[in-house]
Every structure is written in structure tokens, then in C-alpha cells.
């Protein structure tokens, strides 16, 4: 399967590994695409797992609806369910990084029958994140989320000078020049950056529909040099999981864990899948 359709939107998918292997859904974050999990997927295939990595809503050129309401968390989770349906899968293991992790938390809470295990990379449970905003330095770490609520200005700032600011952000976060350039080019596609930012702009709408307790086996991976996501929310996430839970802390790594530590991510995911598959 190289694509699927939902409500007239076409999503690009990278479907790899043994067709009969246990399925693992890989959900990317901002401002990435499915390429963020390429190295992880290659390693998972070697352990006999099948992977499905979609360019999510706003990132697939054929799935860029207008308006922030189209990017609410219910829509984002419904996209993943549609991908599972198209692949004729009743359930799958879900791995999400950054915004993909938020989608993963929501999927596991709202649709546990479709999620065999959850691996949330970098991002805490949304309720833990909300609490950390008032009990730690998380609000300061997340200053950019306020900026992204503004119309047009973030797009102009990030894409000015052929994407200089966005490119600099990615490079200083440890990504390779090749991957950084790839992500910048994708965000320069017509409407791509505005669609990606709409995920943030839909947050006030998402606040009315909280993500509840997760009741599937959960692995949470966080890195100590993540400037955007602090330890407080990370350590409080276990309070919102009523199932086997493990926190794995990676020392010295910045935010982009799947690209920077694919061996370790694949190892952790494989262990998690094998333990609870």
C-alpha cells in the first residue's frame, strides 16, 4: 500500500517489511514527514516487523484541507484509523514522535481496541503537559506554540530567505544537512507550512476534547537535551497510563530522536512489541 484515501484526501504511505510481520504504525512530527522514521523502519524490518509510515494530514500534498478545524486531534486520529482500515488491519503497534506522539496518546486513549502497544517518543501525555505548564518551566519551553497561533507571520519568518530560519533550527537540533534540506523543501511546497502549523492552531479546539487515561502497554522515550519538552511532564505521564508503563531516558540527545538514535529506537520498539505483542 503506497497511499490511502479518507474523505477525498489522499495520504502517501511507506509500507515496508515482511507482509506478515506484526504491524507497526510510525507517526512523524513537525516539520518532518515519514522520512523521519526511515532508518528506524529499516531496522524494524530486520527484526521481522512490518511498518506503515504515512505523511500525515497537511504533509501529504493530496491531504491539505483549509481551516484549523480540519486539523483537530479527532481528525488526525481518524486518519490513522482509516490507514489501518485500508491495510485491512484491526489493530497495530503505534509509534509516534513529537506531534505523532500526541496522535498516538489520543489513539490509545480513544481507540484502545485498535492499538496493541503505544510508544510515545519525546512528547508526554497531553494531560501531563497541561499540568506542567503551570507547575514547571514548560510554558517557557513552549513559547513557540504561542507564536504559531498568529496568522501568516510564522510562515513568513520560517520561510524567509529560502527557509533560512527553519533550516537553521533543524541543523542546530542535530539533524544532518541532507535531512534538514529535505524537510525545508517539503515545507516550501504550496500550502505545506500553513497546513503543518494548523496542527498548533487547532490546539484551542482540542482543549475541549481532552485525552483520557491510556489502557494499553506504553513505552515513553525522552531525551535529556530536548529544549522543547521538559522532565516534569515526562515523569508525570505515568499517572495517565493504567497499563504496563516504561520510561526510557536517553542521555545527551536533542529532540529529533528517531533520526539521531535509530538503532536505540528500533531496539526499544522491538523489545516493547515482543513483550506485549
Amino acid at each position: 500500500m503506497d497511499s490511502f484515501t479518507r474523505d477525498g484526501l489522499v495520504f502517501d504511505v511507506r509500507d515496508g517489511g515482511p507482509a506478515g510481520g506484526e504491524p507497526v504504525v510510525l507517526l512523524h512530527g513537525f516539520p518532518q514527514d515519514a522520512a523521519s522514521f526511515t532508518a528506524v523502519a529499516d531496522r524494524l524490518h530486520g527484526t521481522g516487523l512490518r511498518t506503515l509510515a504515512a505523511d500525515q494530514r497537511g504533509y501529504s500534498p493530496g491531504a491539505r484541507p483549509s481551516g484549523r478545524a480540519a486539523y483537530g486531534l479527532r481528525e488526525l486520529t481518524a486518519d490513522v484509523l482509516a490507514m489501518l482500515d485500508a491495510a485491512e488491519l484491526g489493530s497495530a503497534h503505534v509509534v509516534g514522535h513529537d506531534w505523532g506522539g500526541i496522535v498516538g496518546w489520543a489513539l490509545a486513549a480513544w481507540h484502545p481496541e485498535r492499538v496493541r502497544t503505544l510508544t510515545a517518543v519525546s512528547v508526554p501525555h497531553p494531560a501531563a503537559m497541561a499540568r506542567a505548564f503551570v507547575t514547571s518551566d514548560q510554558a517557557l519551553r513552549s513559547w513557540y506554540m504561542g507564536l504559531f497561533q498568529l496568522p501568516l507571520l510564522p510562515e513568513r519568518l520560517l520561510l524567509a530567505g529560502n527557509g533560512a530560519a527553519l533550516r537553521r533550527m533543524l541543523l542546530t537540533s542535530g539533524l544532518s544537512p541532507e535531512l534538514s534540506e529535505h524537510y525545508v523543501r517539503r515545507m516550501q511546497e504550496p500550502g505545506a507550512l500553513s497546513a503543518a502549523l494548523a496542527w498548533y492552531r487547532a490546539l484551542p479546539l482540542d482543549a475541549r476534547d481532552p485525552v483520557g487515561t491510556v489502557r494499553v502497554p506504553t513505552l515513553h522515550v525522552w531525551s535529556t537535551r530536548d529544549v522543547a519538552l521538559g522532565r516534569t511532564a515526562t515523569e508525570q505521564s505515568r499517572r495517565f497510563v493504567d497499563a504496563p508503563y516504561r520510561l526510557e531516558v536517553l542521555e545527551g540527545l536533542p529532540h529529533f530522536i528517531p533520526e539521531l538514535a535509530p538503532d536505540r529506537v528500533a531496539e526499544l520498539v522491538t523489545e516493547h512489541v515482543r513483550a506485549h505483542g
Side-chain angles (χ1 to χ4, degrees), residues 36-67:
S36 67
F37 276 106
T38 297
V40 173
D42 288 344
R43 288 154 176 80
L44 293 179
H45 300 161
T47 68
L49 299 174
R50 176 189 180 186
T51 63
L52 294 164
D55 288 348
Q56 296 193 80
R57 178 173 291 242
Y59 295 84
S60 286
R64 289 177 183 154
S66 59

Side-chain angles (χ1 to χ4, degrees), residues 97 122 141 222-230 253-257:
H97 172 250
S122 299
R141 290 173 176 267
W222 176 74
S223 52
T224 58
R225 286 184 55 207
D226 193 323
V227 297
L229 298 162
L253 276 178
H255 177 71
F256 293 102
I257 296 175

Side-chain angles (χ1 to χ4, degrees), residues 90-131:
S91 63
H93 304 274
V94 175
V95 180
H97 172 250
D98 188 77
W99 260 108
I102 296 176
V103 175
W105 283 113
L107 270 171
W110 294 339
H111 303 281
E113 74 284 356
R114 308 299 300 269
V115 180
R116 302 183 190 182
T117 65
L118 169 66
T119 300
V121 184
S122 299
V123 293
H125 187 285
M129 182 79 163
R131 292 190 180 188

